[in-house]
Amino acid sequence: MELLIDCDPGIDDAIAIAYLAGEQQVGRVSLTAVTTVRGNLDASTSGRNAAFVLDRLGLQHVPVLRGAADPLTPLATQVDAEAFHGPDGLGGCHDHAHPDRSESDTPLAVLRALLRAVETGHTLLATGPLTNVALALRAAPELASSPNRIVVMGGAFGSPGGNITPTAEYNFHLDGLAAAEVATSGAPITLIPLDVTERVLISHADLAGLPESPVGHLVRRLLEASIHIHQREMGISGCIMHDALAAAVSVDPTLVGCTPGYLHVVPDGDDRGRCELAPDTEGPVDVALDVDVERARSVILESLSRL
Ligand code: BDR
Ligand code: CA
């Protein structure tokens, strides 16, 4: 399966990329490009971190194109997730001596890459705010009638509630308008919300199975940093696999149980990013509300342990 990931690394995006690299080693995935977006931190940090992680994973040939530097929703106040990902976006794991090869000033190239990916039957995985995807759908609305599902990490449906406001999930809140446009575009979407991601955790005990290789060492440091931050910020002992779960579902959709329907996302205002689902078997959006927690954890760990 050929796959393009649009992301905002971010520790958990980095873990999702590492998971995909492990799946690539056994031929289940071919990662063809990475596009990045402003999300956890600014757009240049997203691009730089994506390139750094790919390089360390031995995927120097995978292009990294930087996309939208700002959300479609005008933000009245600065929103970022530095508290969760650290000033470098990678929990202190970025090596500042590493040359940044991400391509800047490429929003148009990002659009082209997304359009080409959908047209050529790639799986599109989005683990950041949906700004780039919404812009691609604005440029080519006919993409929505492509049969390829777009797997999206985002949204929250009430159990346990939001993670940035009481009702909204971070990616959908950061760019509510983009999420709203993508949700109602008619594109076939598999949505991986907090309701399932927050059930899939990796703990310290799980790290024992990671290899002693240089890549295994980086993955371990990323996970350790994330576990530490989750303990400090949320008081839980384990890090949530938001983006890695979405990546795992793009490889194996049977990991989650979905409810189909029509999705509405509040585009702006205080409630920005809040989701409502009108269940309907004809609806274009499959919302994952159930997950096989143990199988999801074990496929993620198994893939990371190949690195
Ligand atoms: C999502 O928000 C970001 O902080 C993470 O990278 C993840 O994609 C979780 O709400
Ligand atoms: Ca992300």
Side-chain angles (χ1 to χ4, degrees):
M1 174 187 67
E2 294 183 299
L3 184 141
L4 181 151
I5 179 170
D6 184 66
C7 58
D8 61 333
I11 303 176
D12 50 353
D13 304 79
I15 297 298
I17 293 172
Y19 160 83
L20 292 168
E23 293 296 59
Q24 180 150 314
Q25 286 198 5
V26 291
R28 276 200 275 267
V29 169
S30 170
L31 186 58
T32 57
V34 176
T35 56
T36 62
V37 64
R38 170 174 168 181
N40 287 312
L41 289 167
D42 58 89
S44 60
T45 303
S46 292
R48 178 201 73 181
N49 286 350
F52 169 69
V53 170
L54 288 167
D55 291 353
R56 287 289 153 93
L57 289 164
L59 298 174
Q60 298 88 338
H61 59 282
V62 176
V64 179
L65 306 171
R66 290 195 215 163
D70 288 301
L72 304 182
T73 318
L75 296 180
T77 52
Q78 169 76 14
V79 181
D80 68 45
E82 187 176 318
F84 245 86
H85 300 267
D88 71 348
L90 292 179
C93 298
H94 184 258
D95 172 0
H96 292 279
H98 189 85
D100 178 11
R101 68 170 175 88
S102 67
E103 297 173 47
S104 57
D105 299 320
T106 55
L108 261 180
V110 168
L111 283 190
R112 284 197 210 99
L114 292 174
L115 302 184
R116 200 167 48 243
V118 176
E119 280 161 8
T120 54
H122 284 45
T123 296
L124 180 56
L125 168 63
T127 61
L130 288 168
T131 321
N132 289 335
V133 179
L135 288 170
L137 283 162
R138 280 185 185 181
E142 68 277 9
L143 283 187
S145 26
S146 151
N148 305 351
R149 294 204 84 76
I150 304 174
V151 180
V152 173
M153 190 283 129
F157 293 85
S159 169
N163 63 355
I164 178 79
T165 72
T167 54
E169 179 278 332
Y170 185 83
N171 289 336
F172 277 22
H173 181 73
L174 187 90
D175 198 345
L177 180 56
E181 288 187 14
V182 173
T184 52
S185 67
I189 290 164
T190 299
L191 187 65
I192 311 299
L194 297 183
D195 307 62
V196 285
T197 63
E198 294 206 351
R199 295 172 59 194
V200 180
L201 273 73
I202 299 294
S203 69
H204 261 300
D206 296 316
L207 306 186
L210 294 176
E212 294 303 328
S213 62
V215 179
H217 182 65
L218 173 64
V219 170
R220 184 190 304 268
R221 284 181 58 216
L222 286 164
L223 288 168
E224 275 171 351
S226 191
I227 290 167
H228 175 75
I229 294 163
H230 278 76
Q231 180 72 57
R232 190 187 67 206
E233 299 291 321
M234 297 175 76
I236 57 175
S237 46
C239 58
I240 300 169
M241 291 289 101
H242 295 294
D243 296 344
L245 177 63
V249 171
S250 68
V251 176
D252 180 357
T254 70
L255 291 170
V256 288
C258 291
T259 303
Y262 292 93
L263 176 64
H264 171 74
V265 181
V266 177
D268 54 25
D270 292 344
D271 226 8
R272 190 175 76 231
R274 183 170 62 77
C275 299
E276 276 166 25
L277 177 71
D280 189 321
T281 50
E282 301 292 309
V285 182
D286 274 347
V287 179
L289 293 175
D290 196 13
V291 57
D292 185 336
V293 174
E294 273 320 308
R295 205 156 63 81
R297 275 172 31 78
S298 78
V299 298
I300 292 168
L301 286 167
E302 193 183 318
S303 186
L304 295 178
S305 70
R306 288 186 204 113
L307 296 169

